[in-house]
Amino acid sequence: MKSLGEACLAALQAAEPQEKITLTRTLFARWQAGEQPGHGDDAVIGIPDPGRPPRPLLVHPAEVPKRRLGNKAGRVALLHAVAHIEFNAINLALDAVYRFRGLPTGYYTDWLSVAADEARHFVLVCERLAELDAAYGDLPAHNGLWEMALKTAGDPLERMALVPRVLEARGLDVTPGMIERLIQVGDEASVRVLEVILDEEVRHVAVGSRWFGYLCKQRGVDPEQTFRDLLQAYMPGHLRGPFNKPARLLAGFTQQELQGLDRLAAVQTTGG
């Protein structure tokens, strides 16, 4: 049996989506069954890029197709963007397990469960794309999620703050609007897929909140001030509201944090 580190690395480096999904699901099932040993003595190696298929072509975010949902092409563009997010989310969850050592068992259980969820989400979106005569890789995409993984590779506290609690939490803010627009154009099948993802992403962000709080307590730092400091250090000018406050509260944000996010987003928007 491979160590946890070896098994995670194999899934991370798998380039073909179905292989990555299978390895991820198998890893989580074995971990749940108590069959998977710990990380072992293997050293963490740098992963400049996880395994990914030759397509989609990665471009600057401004070059990704706009998502006007009044026609089939627009809905395909939206779902393709979601599929790319979910594919990256598999890698991000696996990397959170692979890269950061010496944390409680619950941390690894949480992130392996998130990886398995993201794999299922990816399959759901790809199945819907197929119903629209499209496939993952048909359109260009950007690499912003993995770029943040690289920026936070040295510290699990920074990773927990900035990937689940910022980039993934953004999905909690924007997905309800996507769902409403899809309802307006009568695409109930796509609505069902996004509703599943939105519901389960609340838990994923909550996992990030839980382990961010754990690491802050372990280090004796204030979580709310630390979160604000990291936002200003890593993402100046990039915070966008409005925020889905009910979902974020369920995902481990406090009312005080949300008030701070409102103020910071207003300052960044106005330049004040």
Side-chain angles (χ1 to χ4, degrees), residues 180-191:
E180 182 58 35
R181 289 155 62 200
L182 288 167
I183 290 172
Q184 290 172 2
V185 298
D187 190 345
E188 295 181 3
S190 296
V191 167

Side-chain angles (χ1 to χ4, degrees), residues 92 100 111 144-153 155-170 205 208-209 211-212 215 226-236 238-239 248 253 261 264:
L92 288 165
F100 302 120
W111 284 109
L145 283 170
W146 188 253
E147 288 169 0
M148 183 58 78
L150 294 178
K151 291 177 182 177
T152 58
D155 188 343
L157 186 151
E158 293 183 357
R159 174 69 64 83
M160 295 299 103
L162 296 171
V163 173
R165 302 191 91 233
V166 177
L167 300 184
E168 293 188 53
R170 185 61 181 154
V205 178
S209 293
W211 292 106
F212 174 67
L215 290 162
T226 301
F227 187 55
R228 288 194 297 271
D229 291 345
L230 289 170
L231 283 173
Q232 292 174 320
Y234 280 88
M235 307 190 72
H238 294 286
L239 192 63
R248 283 180 176 255
F253 286 78
L261 288 178
L264 186 56

Side-chain angles (χ1 to χ4, degrees), residues 117-147:
D117 283 351
E118 305 293 16
R120 180 166 44 81
H121 294 172
F122 177 74
V123 171
L124 285 173
V125 181
C126 287
E127 288 174 347
R128 179 58 187 145
L129 280 171
E131 292 170 354
L132 295 171
D133 304 312
Y136 179 58
D138 285 355
L139 299 171
H142 68 80
N143 202 31
L145 283 170
W146 188 253
E147 288 169 0

Side-chain angles (χ1 to χ4, degrees), residues 237 239-241 264-272:
L239 192 63
R240 295 287 182 270
L264 186 56
V267 169
Q268 291 186 355
T269 300
T270 61

Side-chain angles (χ1 to χ4, degrees), residues 45-234:
I45 65 170
I47 307 174
D49 276 308
R52 59 165 62 96
R55 298 166 59 209
L57 175 68
L58 298 181
V59 299
H60 188 276
E63 298 176 47
V64 176
K66 301 302 180 184
R67 300 189 281 270
R68 298 181 179 88
L69 304 186
N71 54 50
K72 179 179 174 181
R75 295 194 292 278
V76 165
L78 169 66
L79 290 167
H80 190 277
V82 174
H84 186 63
I85 290 169
E86 299 304 323
F87 186 82
N88 274 276
I90 302 170
N91 287 325
L92 288 165
L94 290 170
D95 189 72
V97 173
Y98 171 75
R99 186 174 301 279
F100 302 120
R101 310 291 170 95
L103 290 162
T105 299
Y107 170 89
Y108 302 108
T109 301
D110 277 346
W111 284 109
L112 289 170
S113 74
V114 170
D117 283 351
E118 305 293 16
R120 180 166 44 81
H121 294 172
F122 177 74
V123 171
L124 285 173
V125 181
C126 287
E127 288 174 347
R128 179 58 187 145
L129 280 171
E131 292 170 354
L132 295 171
D133 304 312
Y136 179 58
D138 285 355
L139 299 171
H142 68 80
N143 202 31
L145 283 170
W146 188 253
E147 288 169 0
M148 183 58 78
L150 294 178
K151 291 177 182 177
T152 58
D155 188 343
L157 186 151
E158 293 183 357
R159 174 69 64 83
M160 295 299 103
L162 296 171
V163 173
R165 302 191 91 233
V166 177
L167 300 184
E168 293 188 53
R170 185 61 181 154
L172 304 183
D173 302 330
V174 301
T175 304
M178 296 178 188
I179 289 171
E180 182 58 35
R181 289 155 62 200
L182 288 167
I183 290 172
Q184 290 172 2
V185 298
D187 190 345
E188 295 181 3
S190 296
V191 167
R192 288 192 293 271
V193 171
L194 291 188
E195 285 178 337
V196 170
I197 292 173
L198 176 61
D199 181 60
E200 296 184 0
E201 289 296 339
V202 171
R203 185 184 76 84
H204 299 174
V205 178
V207 167
S209 293
R210 176 160 58 253
W211 292 106
F212 174 67
Y214 168 87
L215 290 162
C216 286
K217 183 176 181 180
Q218 187 181 56
R219 299 182 192 185
V221 298
D222 178 71
E224 293 181 7
Q225 184 61 53
T226 301
F227 187 55
R228 288 194 297 271
D229 291 345
L230 289 170
L231 283 173
Q232 292 174 320
Y234 280 88

